[in-house]
Amino acid sequence: MIPPADVNHTFSDAELEELIPFGSVESHRAGALLVAEGTMAPDCVVTLSGHTDIFAATDDGQKRVGWMERGQFAGDLSVLTGQRHLSRVEMGADGDILRIAHGDFQRLIAGNSHFSDVFVRVFAARREFGNSRGFAAIIVVGAAMDRSVYALRDLLMKHGVAHRWFDPADGPVADHLMAERGLTGDQLPAVILGAADVLIQPTPEQLAAGLGLDLLPDGATADVLVVGSGPGGLAAAVYAASEGLTVIALDSLAPGGQAGTSSKIENYLGFPTGISGNELARRATVQAQKFGARLVSPVRAASIGRDGDAYCLHLADGRKLRSRAVVVASGAQYQRLPIDGIEAYEGRGIYYGATPMEAQLCGNAEVTVVGAGNSAGQGAIYLASVAKKVYVIFRRSSLRDTMSEYLVKRLEEHPNIEIIPSTDVVGLHGEDALAGVTYRCRDTGTEGHCDCRFLFLFLGANPNTTWLPKEMVCDDRGFVKTGPDIAPLELVRAGWSLDRMPSRFETSWPRIYAVGDVRKGSVKRVASSVGEGSVVVSDIHQALAELSPANP
């Protein structure tokens, strides 16, 4: 649990004097509204005299959940990110405040290390404190096996947005909430945003808009567009923004990529006790935003084309973005099993990641994990802590061909895990949700069946490159070729126009780079992707220097 001291900070008189030039001093009477619930891009409010009160939605209605005295400031990460503010700030007693407008606050954070450390540390601690205590102004109401509910909760979880979920079948709480908000069963799923707003059967994109996760205008420009916010894309965003480049980073779901679904990464340098992929992504997201990078999701890249010396990225919703350099970090996605009708069970018993959200669904149940890589091993060990039994099925004869030794040993020694080699899942059963699977031994052809309602797939990955132009050189599996992997004839066919050869991560189109899992020859590890995303920024600087200063 986070100590109370970590979720607050009191600036000294000298520090307040340093802060005042960044905002404006205002005098208010008790009860005056300072920041409304639902505000996008909220201001930072620092109390100078009197005190300010914080109100938030609770199970018992709006309640005061905190107050700020002289030298203390209100808000959480939404003040940094510009997302929807889910509490209300009022003047609790006559006094003065310092109001720092959102844009000025971002400049303060980017330009002052001391204040940046204080604000980011406290805001992040407040978010974690709220999560650990179960505080959440956002409530999802809907059935456990409704794939729409899963998609909404998946979005919230991967963005680190605290929320609670109530299934109408589990008790009276959901019924009370529905009656209070005038909801009927045919309107579910519904998302309650604080005290005022209710979204009826929202898509993930509509929920993201309601939270302020996507405030990107059509026609936005940047020095660098990063497509994909997995470890490689986040690293590129952090390093590019920290070196003064303007950055827009996009993702089709949320920051983290495949790594974000990992329950625990134990071999990443600097984390001896491990870190979840989701937590690593959240930390990197805050870090990128601290330096001024704009992270936007869920948005999907549809195509990219040349626009003079720049590039125009077309999004699936019709918006167009422009930049002088592009980092392709769109990663790869786990393959589906080659079984007809598998789509009907996705989000209804079939999942492609093992996170606390999935673990909540399959507590004390039997689950099956398919795959023999590190992600499969990590997922199986995590699920075994809540499931009654975990079956690990894979087509190879040995896990040691593809999985790290420390994970293999843990699987072998865990009492709740059964390892089943040389086996394929060949059938899926169930009506509204998955009810069982059929599997076949590769060596004997013998088939078996288990009444397993939860199936986790960690199979070989396919690159997310269908949005790239056909002229961009890829290998026969669709992974992007870069640098020395591109043959001279392939460069000619792609229309390469520069006197130099592509740099190490540069594609067959100048100033478009590929890093991480999407790149041919990459090592499919988090540390490798982070390294590629970090070092590519020096290549971007050199390439941008080749352009005329007059070019955007």
Side-chain angles (χ1 to χ4, degrees), residues 122-189:
V122 172
F123 286 157
R126 287 175 180 171
R127 176 67 61 86
E128 292 304 314
F129 181 73
N131 286 341
S132 67
R133 289 294 186 91
F135 297 157
I138 298 177
I139 299 173
V140 179
V141 183
M145 287 301 167
D146 185 332
R147 66 174 60 183
S148 298
V149 172
Y150 177 81
L152 296 171
R153 296 192 65 214
D154 191 39
L155 177 75
L156 292 168
M157 186 275 297
K158 288 179 178 175
H159 279 279
V161 179
H163 70 282
R164 288 175 296 168
W165 161 59
F166 295 102
D167 185 339
D170 287 344
V173 177
D175 293 337
H176 170 74
L177 287 168
M178 292 170 63
E180 185 179 64
R181 301 303 178 106
L183 295 170
T184 59
D186 59 0
Q187 293 178 305
L188 300 182

Side-chain angles (χ1 to χ4, degrees), residues 218-535:
D218 186 21
T221 63
D223 294 324
V224 184
L225 286 176
V226 181
V227 183
S229 296
L234 286 171
V238 167
Y239 278 83
S242 69
E243 294 182 15
L245 296 173
T246 57
V247 179
I248 298 174
L250 316 170
D251 199 273
S252 60
L253 179 59
Q258 261 191 30
T261 66
S262 177
S263 56
K264 195 172 187 180
I265 303 169
E266 292 190 73
N267 58 357
Y268 188 62
L269 186 66
F271 294 92
T273 60
I275 183 171
S276 74
N278 187 253
E279 174 63 17
L280 184 65
R282 288 209 298 264
R283 293 187 184 193
T285 297
V286 172
Q287 194 173 15
Q289 291 169 324
K290 182 184 79 170
F291 289 120
R294 299 186 65 176
L295 272 66
V296 184
S297 59
V299 294
R300 189 175 299 276
S303 63
I304 190 169
R306 291 185 170 96
D307 185 9
D309 284 335
Y311 291 101
C312 183
L313 179 68
H314 299 254
L315 303 183
D317 60 17
R319 283 177 291 180
K320 298 178 182 179
L321 311 177
R322 195 165 183 267
S323 70
R324 301 186 298 165
V326 179
V327 176
V328 177
S330 46
Q333 57 187 348
Y334 289 119
Q335 295 176 1
R336 289 173 167 164
L337 288 171
I339 298 176
D340 290 339
I342 187 173
E343 300 88 347
Y345 298 111
E346 291 175 337
R348 295 174 174 171
I350 291 183
Y351 306 98
Y352 294 88
T355 70
M357 187 177 69
E358 288 84 12
Q360 184 182 9
L361 295 173
C362 60
N364 203 34
E366 292 191 353
V367 305
T368 299
V369 173
V370 180
N374 279 6
S375 295
Q378 291 160 348
I381 292 168
Y382 175 67
L383 292 169
S385 66
V386 296
K388 180 170 66 176
K389 185 77 173 181
V390 176
Y391 302 95
V392 180
I393 292 178
F394 53 99
R395 62 185 182 181
R396 295 175 180 269
S397 60
S398 173
L399 286 172
R400 286 179 169 83
D401 295 340
T402 52
M403 189 180 293
S404 295
E405 182 65 20
Y406 80 95
L407 286 172
V408 176
K409 289 182 178 178
R410 290 184 186 178
L411 292 176
E412 292 174 339
E413 296 171 0
H414 202 294
N416 289 356
I417 295 177
E418 181 177 338
I419 299 173
I420 307 176
S422 303
T423 300
D424 295 310
V425 173
V426 295
L428 305 171
H429 314 285
E431 295 183 5
D432 296 333
L434 184 69
V437 300
T438 299
Y439 52 89
R440 179 187 300 135
C441 177
R442 288 185 158 220
D443 297 333
T444 65
T446 304
E447 289 191 356
H449 176 84
C450 69
D451 295 328
C452 169
R453 298 186 297 114
F454 301 97
L455 181 65
F456 293 82
L457 303 180
F458 298 93
L459 303 175
N462 293 322
N464 292 315
T465 53
T466 56
W467 61 279
L468 291 173
K470 64 180 184 301
E471 297 87 358
M472 186 167 289
V473 179
C474 299
D475 69 7
D476 55 2
R477 297 180 58 196
F479 290 93
V480 182
K481 289 187 177 183
T482 61
D485 283 336
I486 308 173
L489 183 57
E490 290 177 320
L491 281 179
V492 172
R493 290 173 176 169
W496 183 266
S497 58
L498 302 183
D499 293 336
R500 62 171 177 82
M501 298 295 284
S503 57
R504 51 195 158 174
F505 299 118
E506 198 166 16
T507 70
S508 53
W509 282 29
R511 299 183 311 285
I512 295 185
Y513 305 84
V515 300
D517 290 358
V518 75
R519 187 179 68 84
K520 171 182 165 56
S522 66
V523 178
K524 305 301 187 283
R525 291 288 186 269
V526 173
S528 176
S529 294
V530 170
E532 292 184 12
S534 305
V535 300

Side-chain angles (χ1 to χ4, degrees), residues 56-76:
T58 71
D59 291 343
D60 299 318
Q62 283 275 308
K63 282 194 172 182
R64 190 177 80 155
V65 295
W67 65 92
M68 300 296 145
E69 300 175 342
R70 176 173 170 79
Q72 299 174 347
F73 52 92
D76 65 2

